[in-house]
Structure formats: C-alpha cells, structure tokens
Amino acid sequence: MIKGTAASDGIGIGKILLLEEASLEYTPHSVEDPAAEVERFRNAVNELIAETERDAAALRAAAGEKEALIMEGHISLINDPALKGETENLITGGQCAEAAYEAMCDMFISIFSSMEDEMMRQRAADVRDIKSGLLRILLGRRQVRVDDAPKGTVLLTRELTPSVTAGIKKGNIVGIITETGGKTSHSAILARALEIPAVLSVPNALSVLRDGQPVIVDGTAGAVIPDPSFDELNEYTEKRERFLKERAELERFRGKPTVGADGAEYELVCNIGKPDDAAKVMEFDGEGVGLFRTEFLFMDRTSVPTEEEQFEAYRKAALILKGKPLIIRTLDIGGDKEIPYMGLEREDNPFMGFRAIRYCLKNRDLFKTQLRAILRASAFGDIRIMFPLITCVEELREGRAVVEELKKELSILGVPFNKDIKVGIMVETAAAAMLADVLAAESDFFSIGTNDLTGYTMSCDRGNANVAYLYSALQPAVLRMIERTIKCGRAAGIPVGMCGEAAANPKLIPLLMAFGLTEFSVSAPSVLRVRKCISRWTRDEAERAAQKALSMTTVKEVEEYLSGLVR
Ligand code: PEP
Ligand code: MG
C-alpha cells in the first residue's frame, strides 16, 4: 500500500493508464522576422483559447457551471494583457515565441508560488497549465487526451491539469493518481465534482507504478494498492459497494429541511475559518454558519488585519450565504491558538490564562476594531455576534456594553448596520455551564463548545496522551453539563446550538435532540450525514435513550449503549 493525499472520496478499482506528457523540449533561437513570429504567437493563443472553450463546454456538461468557471479562469489568464504584451515585446526583441512565452510564464509562476495565499499559489498551477498548452501548440505536439480511455481506467499522471480533467468521461475513469498536487488544487476540486476517487501527491508515483498495472485507489483513506491480492479485491469491492450505497442514500437528504422522524425541525449549520469556506457551506447544503472562527483571519500574516480587511471578509461570507445566518465569533486566541506577532506572554497554564474574551476585553482597540467590522458587515446579511470562553456574567455584560457603544457611534456617523443584531456566547467552560441559567437571561443565544467544555470539565488536555482517555463528550460529567446548558437556554426561551465536534457524533445526536438542542453546527462535509442521523429519531425515542444514558455511571457504559443505537 502506498500513501498519498486523500483528495476525492470513494474506491476505484481498475487498470492504470499512464498519461505521458508530450515532450515540450525545443531549442531557443533568435528570429529574423519578429513580426511573423508575433503573428505565429497570436495564432497559437487563439487556438489555445478555442481549445479551452471546448474544454469548458465539456466540463459544464460533465460536472457543472462552477467547474466550467475554472476553465473560464484559464481563458482570462491566456488573455492577460501583461502576459501577452510582454511576450510580444520579447519576440519583437528577437526571441522565438516559445522562449518568450516560457520566460514570461515562469516569471508569473515564481511570483504566484511565493505568495502565502493558497488561491494565489493555485494560480501558479494554472499558469503552468496554460504554458504547456501554448508550447504544445507552438511546437505542433499532440495533446494528451483521455477521451478514449476504456472503462475501468485509473489515470496516473504527474499533475492532473484542468485541461486533462476536462476530457475525462465519467463512466470510464474510475480513479486518479498523481505525483503532485494538494487537496485544494483545481484538479482535486474537479475530481470531487466528477465524483472520481483520487489520491494525489503519491511519492514517486510515476516510477513505482506502471501502465496497465491493476490497482485500487482508496480516495477516502488516501491509499493506492498496486497489484491487489484476491482478498484485497474482495474487501475493496465490498467497501466500494458500501460507499456508493451510502452516498446515494445521503444525496436523498440534499435540499431537504433538517427534521426528526416526528417532523420536529432543527437547524443544521456549519463551522468555517475563512470567508471562502462559506462557498463550501452552500455546496454541502449547510443552512448557514454556526461558528466563524475569526482567529484564522489573524493567522498566517505578520500584522493584525485592519477594520477594512475584516469588514470585507465578514461581508464576503455574508454575501456568499445569501441571507442565511452567520454567527461570527470574536477573536479566540491564546490556549492552543498562537498568533506570534500579537506578542502574548508565555504562561505556565495557557488554557487557564489570558485568552479569548479575557484578552479582547483588555485590548479594547483590537476588540472594537473587530466588532465595528462585524457591525458594519451586518448590513449585508443575517450576522450575529458570539463571545468565546465566557466564565461569568460580567464578561458578557462588558462585551455587550462595547457592542452598544459602537452601535451608538455608527448611528451618529450614519453607517448602516443591523440595530437588532443578536449577541450570544459560547458555553465552553464548566463555569458557563453551571451558570447557564444566569447567562441565558442576558444572552440572545448559546452555542456549546464541546471541544473546550470536555477539556475543562474533565480537567484534561486531549493533547496529553497520558490523560487523553478521559477526553470524551460522552463522559457522564460532560453529558450533565450539556444537558444543563440546553435546558437552561430553553427555559429562558433562547436558541441553543452546539459547534463543538460532538455535534456531528451520531452517538450523541439523539441525546442532543432529547435535551432540546435547536442548532447543530458541523463541518460542511458532515451536513448530509448529520441530517440523515437526525431524521432517524423521534423526540420520544431520543428521550428514552437520553434517560437511560444519563442513568449510567461510566463513559464505557454510555459508549457501549449509544454505539448500539446508532442509526
Ligand atoms: C469548542 O471549544 O468546542 C469550539 C467550537 O471552539 P474551538 O474548537 O475553536 O476552541
Ligand atoms: Mg473553544
């Protein structure tokens, strides 16, 4: 078995087709008639555009509009005035079209590759793709096509370019293996859109695998099994059947409301870390965002994002969500979330220390900048504010007072914002759970953060292997905290959600339904699975399960009991 990056779910079983790249070698030379060479270059550009338009149409038919846009992006790159203009200048200076275009593309590739932003690095791969396309046309080489690949083909290639992907016929290609490329590359996105299992970045794939070799591609686990044994073939054939059955079953839940077996309604939203993730929420059929972890906007950079940068980020997410709810959590740094340039002092007990809301209340300017950006963005969608790590009512009051002060300021300045913006808290400390009745009276909503609540309740750091056995949201102590929080919230008439990982745990879901949770916030790819799980339970059945689970005294008993009930 060879490991790689799991890029597109599912199991593919077939024979390898090695996609040999056309040789693009040439000897750079100077030209005597630059005007004719410019003409040759322009003809090649037109041919590449025509080819790419054909690919876009093929992708539109096979995968959808959004995927076709990737090829449209290629066309804008090919047409880029700087790239074309500078290439023509080099040709006019006497270089051949191949050398001129290659030099310009390489310059763009090196600029894009050095950028931190993943999207920009992706642009480098796109420029590499169009460079090969244009050189191929200039050199009169044949394009590698996969149109005629027979049924049961597993593609093996160095890097799956969108132009190759465009030729894929869905029924014939059962798997994809590449030597380079990551999970967020365009080729990975396209493989997922075409629902073809893919394992990318398999080390030395081109030398250890060979054309015609039988192979299994496990796109879920990120594994490639060359020359599978009879037993392996049986095992993976079964796995594939199971996967396809489950996928078809889950698809039935797309576009449907989230309801229990008795018709009771729930909200099923997602956790995100970047504005662009909001697109994933829409793609996976989430009903909004239950947690935007804004600390990610502060990471991977060297200074605090400005109010304008933050405003744009929040507004972008709100616009993508088209009116669906967007809960933005204010900065949650400290603990395990370090942001080097913010100069947090080293502490003996960072999890118990100067973090999250505690840090923000003491660093007012930073806090106000963020809240002002959120308030301004609230004119563009259903934005709500959430404070992390609340442990006492004073923190909530102080946070709310800052929001009120900023609302006044913005009103005086005539800046639009939602005057009725909801302000809620994360219940993720034992203190907040015990004080849930008091906090519920002054909070517009709760969201239970089981990741921290489990750690704080069990006094256990999940990263510490010696005590990790204690870390479970099914621990009787944690279950009681969760039950109490939800019941207090419901008694006060406020919505109670959960945005910790436990919200997607099929063992816990019936208990959460029984306690009265109104909103589940999970990772986007879990949406359909959680919707299906919720649909399997009535409130009455869930209540019986919850009563029994709460009567148990050890996590082992609870685990075993709830494992037997998973539907
Ligand atoms: C949590 O603690 O459960 C939570 C959702 O917050 P984070 O994982 O960002 O700490
Ligand atoms: Mg937390």
Side-chain angles (χ1 to χ4, degrees):
M1 176 184 294
I2 317 168
K3 294 293 275 182
T5 303
S8 176
D9 273 349
I11 311 283
I13 303 175
K15 275 206 175 125
I16 291 180
L17 171 69
L18 173 63
L19 276 187
E20 306 230 40
E21 293 155 16
S23 159
L24 297 177
E25 273 180 32
Y26 63 93
T27 315
H29 55 279
S30 45
V31 288
E32 273 160 26
D33 184 353
E37 189 70 355
V38 166
E39 199 50 35
R40 188 168 80 91
F41 168 66
R42 288 184 182 167
N43 287 338
V45 166
N46 289 338
E47 196 176 327
L48 184 60
I49 289 175
E51 221 177 59
T52 313
E53 276 168 351
R54 280 197 300 275
D55 287 344
L59 262 182
R60 188 169 286 116
E65 183 58 36
K66 212 162 53 289
E67 288 67 31
L69 283 181
I70 293 178
M71 299 314 285
E72 308 278 354
H74 271 46
I75 295 173
S76 332
L77 262 182
I78 301 166
N79 267 326
D80 184 271
L83 181 57
K84 267 196 329 199
E86 289 303 318
T87 303
E88 290 186 10
N89 284 344
L90 290 181
I91 298 173
T92 311
Q95 288 197 32
C96 65
E98 289 87 349
Y101 197 64
E102 181 154 34
M104 285 315 301
C105 285
D106 287 349
M107 193 182 83
F108 275 77
I109 291 167
S110 92
I111 294 172
F112 287 139
S113 315
S114 65
M115 291 187 177
E116 299 219 331
D117 189 272
E118 173 64 31
M119 296 274 285
M120 282 313 198
R121 286 207 301 271
Q122 175 58 47
R123 293 303 263 178
D126 293 343
V127 179
R128 229 176 277 127
D129 199 9
I130 63 163
K131 178 179 95 171
S132 311
L134 201 89
L135 288 183
R136 181 176 41 73
I137 291 170
L138 285 169
L139 295 166
R141 308 268 151 81
R142 213 172 63 82
Q143 184 177 17
V144 183
R145 304 266 349 164
V146 291
D147 311 44
D148 335 312
K151 276 196 183 310
T153 295
V154 171
L155 288 183
L156 168 61
T157 173
R158 181 175 312 283
E159 181 173 14
L160 185 71
T161 57
S163 46
V164 169
T165 322
I168 288 179
K169 278 211 201 92
K170 212 167 146 181
N172 294 8
I173 309 296
V174 296
I176 295 166
I177 306 168
T178 72
E179 201 170 273
T180 62
K183 223 177 170 125
T184 54
S185 62
H186 277 160
S187 21
I189 294 171
L190 289 172
R192 284 196 289 274
L194 293 166
E195 298 183 342
I196 298 175
V199 182
L200 309 187
S201 284
V202 174
N204 308 315
L206 294 185
S207 42
V208 294
L209 300 169
R210 55 173 205 284
D211 194 49
Q213 191 174 24
V215 73
I216 295 173
V217 179
D218 183 343
T220 309
V224 171
I225 302 158
D227 299 315
S229 67
F230 183 71
D231 286 347
E232 281 170 329
L233 274 176
N234 277 340
E235 180 191 337
Y236 278 89
T237 304
E238 239 174 65
K239 263 194 189 171
R240 184 180 58 189
E241 298 312 313
R242 234 180 302 134
F243 173 83
L244 291 175
K245 197 166 153 235
E246 195 174 310
R247 170 135 83 190
E249 222 175 79
L250 285 184
E251 278 307 309
R252 290 196 296 114
F253 289 88
R254 187 178 289 281
K256 301 275 162 48
T258 304
V259 285
D262 52 2
E265 288 188 24
Y266 301 86
E267 237 185 297
L268 179 53
V269 289
C270 302
N271 298 344
I272 66 169
K274 296 251 164 73
D276 285 328
D277 295 346
K280 277 214 199 95
V281 175
M282 302 299 271
E283 185 191 331
F284 285 97
D285 206 29
E287 297 160 24
V289 167
L291 167 65
F292 183 164
R293 291 184 163 99
T294 58
E295 46 282 7
F296 286 102
L297 297 179
F298 290 66
M299 291 172 183
D300 289 339
R301 47 185 294 146
T302 49
S303 61
V304 174
T306 62
E307 180 182 321
E308 237 19 67
E309 283 173 314
Q310 291 190 57
F311 164 67
E312 282 303 337
Y314 306 144
R315 185 172 74 132
K316 183 172 183 193
L319 291 177
I320 294 174
L321 291 171
K322 297 195 170 81
K324 292 182 196 279
L326 167 59
I327 299 182
I328 303 182
R329 179 174 72 183
T330 56
L331 186 61
D332 183 18
I333 47 160
D336 57 344
K337 295 168 185 155
E338 258 198 79
I339 302 178
Y341 64 82
M342 292 187 76
L344 263 68
E345 276 176 32
R346 289 213 74 78
E347 298 175 309
D348 287 341
N349 265 314
F351 278 94
M352 307 275 171
F354 191 44
R355 55 172 294 203
I357 191 73
R358 305 169 181 185
Y359 181 89
C360 286
L361 289 173
K362 289 281 170 338
N363 288 274
R364 274 310 158 93
D365 288 345
L366 180 91
F367 192 39
K368 281 185 173 175
T369 301
Q370 180 170 42
L371 286 171
R372 213 180 291 113
I374 299 176
L375 282 168
R376 283 173 54 203
S378 73
F380 298 89
D382 181 3
I383 289 182
R384 306 165 194 181
I385 297 171
M386 178 157 76
F387 299 137
L389 207 84
I390 294 288
T391 51
C392 57
V393 76
E394 293 91 319
E395 287 167 340
L396 170 58
R397 284 182 190 157
E398 224 179 306
R400 290 199 81 130
V402 179
V403 174
E404 287 309 313
E405 182 190 327
L406 292 171
K407 277 168 126 181
K408 276 197 199 108
E409 254 179 53
L410 292 177
S411 293
I412 292 168
L413 294 170
V415 177
F417 66 95
N418 174 12
K419 296 188 172 51
D420 301 316
I421 193 162
K422 302 247 182 302
V423 180
I425 63 165
M426 293 215 41
V427 177
E428 55 180 340
T429 62
M434 292 312 293
L435 202 64
D437 50 338
V438 173
L439 292 166
E442 301 192 29
S443 189
D444 296 328
F445 62 89
F446 280 167
S447 185
I448 305 175
T450 43
N451 305 343
D452 276 315
L453 184 61
T454 305
Y456 286 127
T457 302
M458 298 307 297
S459 303
C460 131
D461 172 0
R462 73 179 124 162
N464 180 338
N466 291 326
V467 296
Y469 69 95
L470 290 167
Y471 188 90
S472 164
L474 299 180
Q475 282 280 1
V478 182
L479 287 183
R480 281 162 171 69
M481 292 285 186
I482 294 172
E483 185 202 20
R484 181 180 160 73
T485 305
I486 299 174
K487 296 238 154 113
C488 289
R490 295 310 301 266
I494 62 168
V496 183
M498 177 175 285
C499 58
E501 297 298 309
N505 182 343
K507 292 179 214 155
L508 195 64
I509 286 173
L511 270 57
L512 300 174
M513 294 167 75
F515 297 156
L517 197 81
T518 46
E519 177 227 57
F520 294 74
S521 193
V522 302
S523 70
S526 312
V527 165
L528 296 182
R529 193 177 53 71
V530 171
R531 188 172 288 147
K532 175 183 157 198
C533 182
I534 290 175
S535 78
R536 295 288 194 260
W537 290 89
T538 66
R539 185 81 185 262
D540 285 349
E541 290 165 340
E543 266 166 15
R544 280 196 291 280
Q547 248 175 26
K548 181 101 198 262
L550 280 177
S551 73
M552 294 174 166
T553 49
T554 67
V555 68
K556 187 161 176 282
E557 272 176 278
V558 176
E559 273 269 5
E560 278 174 11
Y561 171 64
L562 293 177
S563 297
L565 295 184
V566 168
R567 298 175 176 181

